[in-house]
Amino acid sequence: MNLAADPVASGLAVLAGYLFGSLSFAVIVSRLMGLADPRSYGSGNPGATNVLRSGNRIAAVLTLALDALKGYVPVLLVLIFGPRWGLNAVDAAFVGLAAFVGHLWPVFFRFQGGKGVATAAGVLMAVNPLLGVATLCSWALIAAFTRYSSLAAIVAAVFAPFYQALIWGIEPAWGAILVMSVLLVWRHKGNIEKLIAGTESKLGQKAAPHAIPPVPAPDHGHGARHSHKHRKH
């Protein structure tokens, strides 16, 4: 990070990034739209791809957009308002990394987070828009040919730090990008095993009907009163 910056300002910015990243929008959107918790079906991952397996495309698109924004917005805010507190682009990159870590291990959701693909894309788009576009193009190319979102994410994550190093050079912010890429690949270790075994779900494939638990209806005590009446008879 930027050693010349106010350490208090740097620490607060990183903490704010982590807390913002801890908002699990897959769970929040699903609850607001009356859907089952995405951690309870499919891959169990609270992310846009798993929400799509519920069959609700609107919920999946909202999750994707919000997860990307929670990586993009903290970085952008530091880039715009950070200089008055001595924060620079390096600090912004590490704030983005903190938001990404918050997505992986969200404090508000018992540290049960997603894999961070959309959030990482948002961070890259804010840190270096051209790098973000190049990485997204890599993801889209692999996803289009294989229909495996996980494989596309792994390949894009591997390429991102190499793009940065080869085209723009190795700079302090590169460290944040490298750590983010390593964590993203590590979070996909289960998907790598499924890809090798040939059991990985393809993009847009719905979860099996029995795998999506029904959303429980609110219990207002009618059943208890009904059974009580029967006991009287």
Side-chain angles (χ1 to χ4, degrees):
M1 294 182 67
N2 179 18
L3 298 179
D6 181 351
V8 175
S10 296
L12 289 176
V14 168
L15 177 60
Y18 170 76
L19 293 177
F20 191 51
S22 290
L23 297 173
S24 185
F25 286 114
V27 179
I28 295 171
V29 169
S30 294
R31 287 178 181 174
L32 291 176
M33 298 186 70
L35 303 173
D37 191 318
R39 295 170 294 182
S40 66
Y41 63 83
S43 66
N45 176 58
T49 301
N50 201 39
V51 172
L52 183 60
R53 294 190 179 106
S54 72
N56 193 313
R57 293 185 179 182
I58 295 177
V61 170
L62 285 174
T63 299
L64 179 67
L66 291 171
D67 278 350
L69 283 173
K70 75 179 180 182
Y72 183 85
V73 170
V75 176
L76 185 64
L77 290 177
V78 173
L79 291 174
I80 294 174
F81 301 107
R84 68 184 65 179
W85 287 287
L87 304 180
N88 59 20
V90 177
D91 296 291
F94 280 91
V95 168
L97 174 61
F100 174 78
V101 171
H103 179 83
L104 302 189
W105 295 286
V107 66
F108 304 128
F109 294 88
R110 297 175 294 179
F111 301 100
Q112 298 174 0
K115 296 174 182 175
V117 177
T119 303
V123 173
L124 293 180
M125 288 297 295
V127 170
N128 183 341
L130 292 178
L131 173 62
V133 170
T135 305
L136 285 175
C137 286
S138 299
W139 181 93
L141 184 65
I142 301 300
F145 277 98
T146 68
R147 303 300 297 169
Y148 287 116
S149 174
S150 57
L151 179 60
I154 293 165
V155 172
V158 171
F159 281 179
F162 284 101
Y163 287 151
Q164 174 66 33
L166 292 174
I167 300 174
W168 295 279
I170 296 178
E171 53 187 10
W174 179 81
I177 296 170
L178 178 63
V179 171
M180 191 164 58
S181 297
V182 170
L183 286 174
L184 195 149
V185 172
W186 176 72
R187 289 289 282 189
H188 281 80
K189 61 183 184 297
N191 301 90
I192 294 173
E193 294 171 358
K194 290 181 180 179
L195 285 166
I196 294 172
T199 58
E200 176 71 331
S201 299
K202 291 194 174 183
L203 191 65
Q205 181 178 339
K206 291 185 181 181
H210 66 275
I212 303 179
V215 180
D219 184 6
H220 300 294
H222 295 304
R225 289 196 295 270
H226 182 70
S227 59
H228 180 65
K229 290 180 181 178
H230 276 291
R231 284 196 298 270
K232 283 185 176 182
H233 291 299

